[in-house]
C-alpha cells in the first residue's frame, strides 16, 4: 500500500500541534504544501531532476526510529573541535534543546533562536522569510507541511558576527522522521558564518530546508557538515536570494547517510553579486549522494565559482548536476563551474553533468567535469621514492579532496573539515599523524 495517504493523514493529525498552528498564513501554506506533496508523490527516475536518485522506495517503506547515544556526548565531542567563543543552537530529534544551547554574547542587532519561538515573538519577520511550496520538489513540500522547528537568525543592518554560529541537529531515539526549516535573514552590510551540523543516527528520514536572504552588500557563509549514520535518509535544500553586491558562500561536506540529496541554489536579484559553491562528498559501501545546484545570474556584473569533488568507493554512487543560468540582462557575468570525481574501486559509479544556459552575449563562462581513477604514473613516481603503494594511494586521495577543504575561510571550521575527511578515508589516522 502506498504511504502517501499515510503522510497526508500524519500531517492532519499533527497540524494543530505544530508551532505557529494558530497563524492563518502558515496554516494556508502548510495545507498547500501537503496538497502539493500528495499530488506529486515521491520523486522517481521518470523526473529529469531525479533520474539518478529515485525515492520511489519510500512509497512502500515503513519508517523505524533508530537508537543513538545520548546527545550530550555527541555535542561535547563536537564542541571540543571548535573555539570557546563560538555560538551554539542545538536541536535533538528535530526540537530545540535550550539546555544544550550556548549562544554567549551575540552582537547588538542580532537575534538567533528557535523557529518555534520566533513564530510567537516575531511572526511577521518569519512570514517574510518562510517561503512557500510553489515549484518545490515534493520532499521539500513535505518539509513545509510538517516542519516542527529549526533556527531563525536575523542580522540587523551593519551587524558582524565574529565567531561562527553553529546549528547542531542531533538524532536520538523516538523519531522516525524529522522536518527542519532554518531561516537566515541578513540585512544590508551584515556578515556571519553559519555552520550547520547533522550528526548521529537520528530519524530514518530527515528533510531540511535552509533559506538565506542576503540584502545589499551582506556577506553570508554557510557551511554544512553532514555525517549521519548509515541508516539515515537525508533530503536537504539550501536556497538563497542575493540583493545588490551581496556575497553568499555555500560549503557542503557530505560524509554520511545511506542516501543524501542536497539541492543548493541561489539567485542574483541585484547587480554585482558574488557566490561560491564548494562541495566534497565521500561515499562507500552501497551509499548514494546527490548534489543538484542552480545559480541564476539574473542581473549584470555577477561572479560565481562552483567547485565540487567526489570520492566514490565500494559499490557507492556519487551524482552531481549543476546548472548556471545567465539571463539576457545579466551582461558581464563571470562564471566557472567544475566537478571532478575520483573512483576508488572498480564498482564505484559517478555521474557528473555541468550545464551552462546563457542568454547574454557579454559573458565569461566555463564549465567542465571529470571522472577517473588515480593516475598510475603518479603512483609509480611516489613508489620510486620509497613510498609503499597503499600510502601513495592515500596521499593522492587526500590531496585530491583537501583542495575543497582549503577553500573554507574560517580556520577552525576548515580544521574540522580536514578531520572529517581523514576519519572517513582508509588509512586516515596515518595521514592525520603527518598533519
Amino acid at each position: 500500500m502506498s504511504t502517501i495517504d499515510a503522510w497526508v493523514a500524519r500531517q492532519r493529525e499533527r497540524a494543530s500541534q505544530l508551532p505557529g498552528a494558530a497563524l492563518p498564513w502558515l496554516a494556508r501554506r502548510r495545507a498547500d504544501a501537503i496538497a502539493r506533496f500528495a499530488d506529486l508523490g515521491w520523486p522517481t527516475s521518470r523526473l529529469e531532476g531525479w533520474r539518478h536518485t529515485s525515492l520511489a522506495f519510500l512509497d512502500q517503506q515503513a519508517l523505524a526510529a533508530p537508537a543513538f547515544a545520548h546527545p550530550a556526548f555527541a555535542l561535547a565531542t563536537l564542541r571540543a573541535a571548535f573555539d570557546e567563543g563560538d555560538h551554539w543552537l542545538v536541536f535533538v530529534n528535530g526540537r530545540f534543546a535550550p539546555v544544550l544551547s550556548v549562544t554567549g554574547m551575540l552582537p547588538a542587532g542580532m537575534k538567533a533562536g528557535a523557529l518555534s519561538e520566533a513564530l510567537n515573538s516575531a511572526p511577521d519577520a518569519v512570514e517574510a522569510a518562510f517561503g512557500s511550496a510553489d515549484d518545490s520538489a515534493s520532499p521539500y513540500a513535505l518539509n513545509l507541511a510538517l516542519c516542527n522547528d529549526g533556527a531563525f537568525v536575523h542580522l540587523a543592518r551593519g551587524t558582524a558576527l565574529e565567531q561562527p554560529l553553529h546549528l547542531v541537529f542531533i538524532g536520538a531515539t523516538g523519531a522516525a522522521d524529522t522536518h527542519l526549516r532554518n531561516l537566515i535573514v541578513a540585512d544590508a552590510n551584515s556578515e556571519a558564518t553559519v555552520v550547520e551540523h547533522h550528526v548521529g543516527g537520528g530519524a530514518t528520514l530527515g528533510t531540511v530546508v535552509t533559506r538565506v536572504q542576503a540584502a545589499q552588500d551582506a556577506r553570508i557563509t554557510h557551511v554544512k557538515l553532514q555525517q549521519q549514520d548509515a541508516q539515515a535518509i537525508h533530503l536537504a535544500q539550501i536556497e538563497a536570494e542575493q540583493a545588490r553586491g551581496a556575497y553568499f558562500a555555500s560549503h557542503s561536506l557530505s560524509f554520511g547517510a545511506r542516501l543524501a540529496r542536497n539541492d543548493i541554489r541561489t539567485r542574483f536579484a541585484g547587480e554585482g553579486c558574488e557566490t561560491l559553491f564548494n562541495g566534497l562528498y565521500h561515499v562507500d559501501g552501497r551509499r548514494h549522494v546527490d548534489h543538484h545546484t542552480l545559480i541564476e545570474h539574473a542581473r549584470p556584473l555577477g561572479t560565481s565559482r562552483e567547485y565540487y569533488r567526489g570520492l566514490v568507493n565500494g559499490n557507492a554512487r556519487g551524482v552531481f548536476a549543476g546548472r548556471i543560468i545567465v539571463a539576457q540582462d545579466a551582461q558581464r557575468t563571470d562564471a566557472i563551474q567544475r566537478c571532478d570525481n575520483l573512483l576508488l574501486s572498480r564498482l564505484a559509479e559517478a555521474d557528473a553533468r555541468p550545464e551552462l544556459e546563457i542568454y547574454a552575449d557579454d559573458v565569461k563562462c566555463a564549465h567542465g567535469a571529470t571522472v577517473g581513477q588515480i593516475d598510475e604514473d603518479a603512483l609509480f613516481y611516489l613508489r620510486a621514492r620509497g613510498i609503499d603503494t597503499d600510502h601513495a594511494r592515500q596521499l593522492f586521495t587526500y590531496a585530491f579532496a583537501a583542495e575543497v577543504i582549503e577553500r573554507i575561510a574560517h580556520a577552525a571550521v576548515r580544521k574540522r573539515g580536514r578531520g572529517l575527511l581523514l576519519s572517513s578515508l582508509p588509512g586516515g589516522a596515518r595521514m592525520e599523524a603527518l598533519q
Side-chain angles (χ1 to χ4, degrees):
M1 186 179 74
S2 171
T3 64
I4 300 300
D5 292 341
W7 282 107
V8 173
R10 184 179 305 190
Q11 195 275 338
R12 289 173 179 165
E13 291 171 3
R14 295 183 184 180
S16 62
Q17 305 300 319
L18 291 173
L23 297 171
W25 65 266
L26 185 52
R28 286 193 298 271
R29 292 191 202 183
R30 283 177 170 153
D32 291 344
I34 197 63
R36 180 172 176 80
F37 172 76
D39 183 53
L40 296 176
W42 291 109
T44 71
S45 57
R46 291 192 296 272
L47 297 175
E48 178 61 25
W50 294 79
R51 64 191 181 103
H52 296 302
T53 311
S54 172
L55 299 181
F57 68 94
L58 288 174
D59 200 26
Q60 304 296 330
Q61 179 171 307
L63 301 180
F68 182 62
H70 194 282
F73 295 110
L75 180 61
T77 301
L78 185 59
R79 290 188 61 182
F82 291 95
D83 298 332
E84 285 291 330
D86 289 4
H87 311 282
W88 300 81
L89 293 177
V90 181
F91 299 78
V92 178
N93 283 342
R95 296 179 180 274
F96 182 54
V99 174
L100 299 176
S101 302
V102 180
T103 55
M105 291 294 292
L106 294 172
M110 179 177 178
K111 295 180 180 179
L115 176 63
S116 55
E117 295 176 356
L119 282 166
N120 292 324
S121 61
D124 292 342
V126 173
E127 181 181 5
F130 198 82
S132 69
D134 297 345
D135 300 324
S136 292
S138 62
Y140 312 125
L142 183 67
N143 173 275
L144 193 154
L146 288 171
C147 64
N148 189 73
D149 215 341
F152 180 76
V153 180
H154 179 225
L155 295 151
R157 177 184 291 269
T159 302
L161 182 67
E162 294 184 3
Q163 297 296 106
L165 171 65
H166 298 265
L167 310 179
V168 184
F169 303 99
I170 304 174
T173 58
D177 63 296
T178 60
H179 308 276
L180 298 153
R181 202 169 188 90
N182 304 311
L183 308 179
I184 302 170
V185 181
D187 290 348
N189 294 290
S190 60
E191 182 174 357
T193 294
V194 179
V195 187
E196 185 179 322
H197 305 262
H198 295 271
V199 298
T204 300
L205 171 66
T207 68
V208 188
V209 172
T210 298
R211 291 175 50 81
V212 178
Q213 293 183 346
Q216 182 173 335
D217 296 320
R219 297 184 64 84
I220 297 297
T221 297
H222 179 267
V223 184
K224 180 179 176 183
L225 305 176
Q226 190 275 113
Q227 50 185 126
Q228 291 179 294
D229 288 351
Q231 77 276 11
I233 300 169
H234 181 85
L235 307 176
Q237 179 169 278
I238 300 167
E239 50 185 348
E241 178 148 329
Q242 300 172 238
R244 181 185 181 96
Y247 172 84
F248 173 64
S250 167
H251 303 275
S252 175
L253 308 183
S254 183
F255 295 109
R258 68 164 162 142
L259 186 152
R261 164 87 178 209
N262 294 281
D263 287 272
I264 307 172
R265 63 191 188 189
T266 190
R267 181 176 184 273
F268 292 180
E271 294 186 6
C273 293
E274 183 179 355
T275 197
L276 169 64
F277 280 13
N278 183 49
L280 174 65
Y281 45 93
H282 175 238
V283 280
D284 53 13
R286 301 189 66 86
R287 298 193 298 118
H288 181 109
V289 64
D290 184 347
H291 281 82
H292 265 61
T293 68
L294 173 62
I295 300 175
E296 294 185 68
H297 287 261
R299 304 296 297 163
L301 300 170
T303 301
S304 64
R305 297 291 182 265
E306 184 170 7
Y307 306 106
Y308 280 79
R309 288 199 166 183
L311 302 172
V312 191
N313 206 349
N315 291 78
R317 187 176 192 181
V319 178
F320 170 83
R323 188 179 177 201
I324 294 177
I325 301 176
V326 182
Q328 186 174 359
D329 293 335
Q331 303 294 344
R332 300 177 67 183
T333 286
D334 184 352
I336 294 176
Q337 181 187 65
R338 183 84 193 175
C339 177
D340 300 289
N341 292 273
L342 188 60
L343 302 181
L344 302 177
S345 75
R346 293 175 58 191
L347 297 177
E349 183 177 350
D351 299 280
R353 189 180 63 185
E355 294 183 18
L356 293 175
E357 192 172 324
I358 302 171
Y359 299 98
D361 52 18
D362 182 9
V363 301
K364 183 169 63 174
C365 298
H367 71 310
T370 62
V371 177
Q373 297 178 323
I374 295 175
D375 187 349
E376 292 297 329
D377 291 339
L379 281 178
F380 179 79
Y381 177 86
L382 290 183
R383 291 177 60 196
R385 281 149 182 80
I387 300 176
D388 64 81
T389 301
D390 288 344
H391 193 196
R393 288 185 178 276
Q394 293 161 10
L395 283 170
F396 274 112
T397 302
Y398 176 77
F400 174 85
E403 186 174 331
V404 172
I405 305 292
E406 295 308 309
R407 293 193 186 98
I408 300 175
H410 194 277
V413 180
R414 189 167 62 245
K415 182 178 179 181
R416 176 63 175 172
R418 288 196 204 104
L420 291 177
L421 171 61
L422 289 167
S423 66
S424 72
L425 295 177
R430 185 178 181 182
M431 293 292 301
E432 190 168 12
L434 299 177
Q435 295 296 304

